[in-house]
Amino acid sequence: MPIKNRFAELLPEIIEWRRDLHEHPEILFETHRTSAIVAEKLKEFGCDEIVTGIGRTGVVAVIKGKTDTSGKVIGLRADMDALPMQEQTDLPYKSKVDGAMHACGHDGHTAMLLGAAKYLSETRNFDGTVVLIFQPAEEGGGGGKEMCDDGMMDRWGIQEVYGMHNWPGLPVGQFAIRPGAFFASADQFEMVVEGKGGHAAKPHLALDTTVVASHIVIALQTIASRIVSPVEQVVVSVTSFETSSKAFNVIPQTVHLRGTVRALSDETRDLAEKSLISIAEGTAAAFGATATVKYKRGYPVMVNSEAQTEFAAEVAKSVAGKCDFADYTMGGEDFSFMLQERPGAYIFVGNGEGHDVHHPKYVFSDETMPAGCSWWAGIVEQRMPAA
């Protein structure tokens, strides 16, 4: 694999950075230590500008090329936050924070972009400007949106933006990408089903919310099987079912349901939301009960731009020799907010065999990092070749 020699030399140092971040995971916008370390490293590298506090705890840095006749400005984004879960590995550098773990590899993403930043600061072998984006709160907090809402794109004149995620199951150092819709929208819903509580031995005198809510759970599956076109992708999952009573002999007055809806187009997303509310309310009414639904829209569909995806794939081929065509994923990704503001692309880099992301025994492969760093550097040097 043609990896830049400098990244092979830097690998022990980059690994050290990542493992330190792994030992000290921080959740959502609480990436204070991580952000401080990132800013300190960027200062050591000699970046031309470093700004903290974008999107609360995000960090943005600027590196200028040897020349700037192109006027191009490219953004490179890595996420920094961990997940609120307990690590179950035996790694010598396992998490030291109870209830927090880098189980999605964001420590690796941050370390790879830092490695690319060091190389680009040293060489500056490009014609234009690169803007490094270190983002908090990807895991459900919408940190990407907050950085955009802080005016990041306009403030630094970003014209294109690129992101990367490690992908278990894809061979180490290989790449995969697809144009258009790639990651699904990620919405949440809650509903309260209310009937009439009573004694479990006298169900005829009650209005059993457990039965009503069960019918709603089953009926919601018809959104995918009978309402949305079978050639479209949608997921409706009820993930929590809680009654207002824990007793063996009580029919509960209320049942609280929670869940998520995922779609790969805005049209399907709209239809799924409308149908979910209608089905819940109608099914409850058929039994004489009520269902009150709260529907919250989360991350939008992440859509890769055609031209930038083609370019990102060519850079990947120059690093790894090939770039696979990626499958859709119904996971959510708040890089989608950045792609709504600027054209760009998001790519997978292989993490090899092992546990999937969000698993308590997930392990980021340090062998992935030279390829990831080389891809970041290639995006800059090939998009803005030195004059």
Side-chain angles (χ1 to χ4, degrees):
M1 183 186 299
I3 299 296
K4 289 185 179 292
N5 291 334
R6 183 60 176 138
F7 292 125
E9 296 169 1
L10 287 173
L11 184 57
E13 189 175 4
I14 299 172
I15 290 174
E16 185 179 344
W17 301 338
R18 185 192 77 78
R19 294 185 177 186
D20 175 71
L21 295 176
H22 189 89
E23 283 187 297
H24 303 90
E26 295 175 302
I27 295 168
L28 293 173
F29 291 99
E30 300 303 312
T31 56
H32 303 291
R33 180 184 184 274
T34 305
S35 298
I37 289 173
V38 166
E40 179 185 354
K41 295 294 181 188
L42 295 170
K43 184 178 180 180
E44 289 176 8
F45 302 160
C47 293
D48 297 288
E49 181 184 359
I50 303 163
V51 180
T52 59
I54 305 298
R56 296 199 231 178
T57 48
V59 180
V60 175
V62 175
I63 304 173
K64 297 179 180 179
K66 290 179 180 178
T67 56
D68 189 17
T69 62
S70 70
K72 291 181 179 177
V73 182
I74 291 179
L76 308 179
R77 172 270 203 176
D79 37 19
M80 302 186 292
D81 59 318
L83 283 157
M85 57 188 288
Q86 196 71 32
E87 182 165 354
Q88 294 180 14
T89 73
D90 295 321
L91 297 171
Y93 53 88
K94 69 181 294 185
S95 172
K96 293 180 178 178
V97 181
D98 188 50
M101 176 190 177
H102 269 296
C104 204
H106 295 185
D107 51 340
H109 303 164
T110 298
M112 286 190 289
L113 190 53
L114 283 174
K118 183 165 186 175
Y119 166 83
L120 292 169
S121 296
E122 291 172 349
T123 60
R124 299 181 183 261
N125 190 33
F126 57 95
D127 179 48
T129 303
V130 59
V131 179
L132 308 169
I133 303 164
F134 293 88
Q135 180 207 306
E138 190 282 323
E139 298 289 358
K145 182 178 189 300
E146 295 221 11
M147 294 189 84
C148 289
D149 288 347
D150 271 357
M152 175 181 69
M153 295 297 185
D154 290 335
R155 179 172 175 178
W156 282 281
I158 297 170
Q159 299 164 354
E160 299 179 359
V161 64
Y162 295 86
M164 181 200 304
H165 203 295
N166 78 93
W167 205 245
L170 187 66
V172 169
Q174 292 297 317
F175 294 89
I177 197 170
R178 69 179 300 125
F182 193 174
F183 276 64
S185 57
D187 299 338
Q188 300 174 354
F189 65 85
E190 295 185 62
M191 69 177 73
V192 176
V193 180
E194 185 161 8
K196 181 181 178 183
H199 198 293
K202 302 177 181 180
H204 61 294
L205 299 180
L207 203 172
D208 194 337
T209 52
T210 303
V211 172
V212 176
S214 297
H215 276 274
I216 291 174
V217 171
I218 297 301
L220 290 180
Q221 301 313 306
T222 64
I223 295 174
S225 66
R226 289 295 180 268
I227 295 175
V228 171
S229 168
V231 300
E232 297 293 328
Q233 293 83 9
V234 66
V235 172
V236 179
S237 293
V238 178
T239 56
S240 178
F241 190 118
E242 297 179 301
T243 69
S244 58
S245 170
K246 305 301 180 186
F248 289 98
N249 58 353
V250 173
I251 291 174
Q253 177 75 14
T254 60
V255 171
H256 191 183
L257 302 178
R258 296 183 182 88
T260 185
V261 177
R262 310 294 177 104
L264 281 168
S265 73
D266 291 338
E267 294 76 17
T268 299
R269 187 186 196 186
D270 292 341
L271 179 58
E273 177 182 356
K274 178 182 177 181
S275 300
L276 183 143
I277 295 170
S278 177
I279 288 171
E281 293 177 346
T283 302
F287 287 93
T290 62
T292 303
V293 182
K294 293 182 180 178
Y295 193 98
K296 180 182 178 182
R297 292 209 165 193
Y299 298 168
V301 181
M302 192 190 77
V303 182
N304 273 348
S305 307
E306 294 281 343
Q308 284 71 25
T309 299
E310 183 178 351
F311 168 67
E314 289 303 314
V315 175
K317 290 175 186 176
S318 72
V319 174
K322 68 173 184 174
C323 183
D324 295 337
F325 193 82
D327 291 331
Y328 292 118
T329 172
M330 301 308 286
E333 170 54 66
D334 80 342
F335 188 64
S336 54
F337 292 110
M338 297 187 189
L339 290 177
Q340 284 186 332
E341 296 213 0
R342 295 294 188 273
Y346 193 76
I347 198 167
F348 288 151
V349 61
N351 197 59
E353 296 302 321
H355 293 288
D356 201 0
V357 293
H358 293 220
H359 190 283
K361 293 185 178 181
Y362 161 85
V363 177
F364 180 87
S365 173
D366 289 332
E367 296 177 3
T368 292
M369 294 198 285
C373 292
S374 294
W375 184 80
W376 283 128
I379 289 290
V380 174
E381 293 178 343
Q382 294 183 41
R383 199 60 157 175
M384 303 184 292

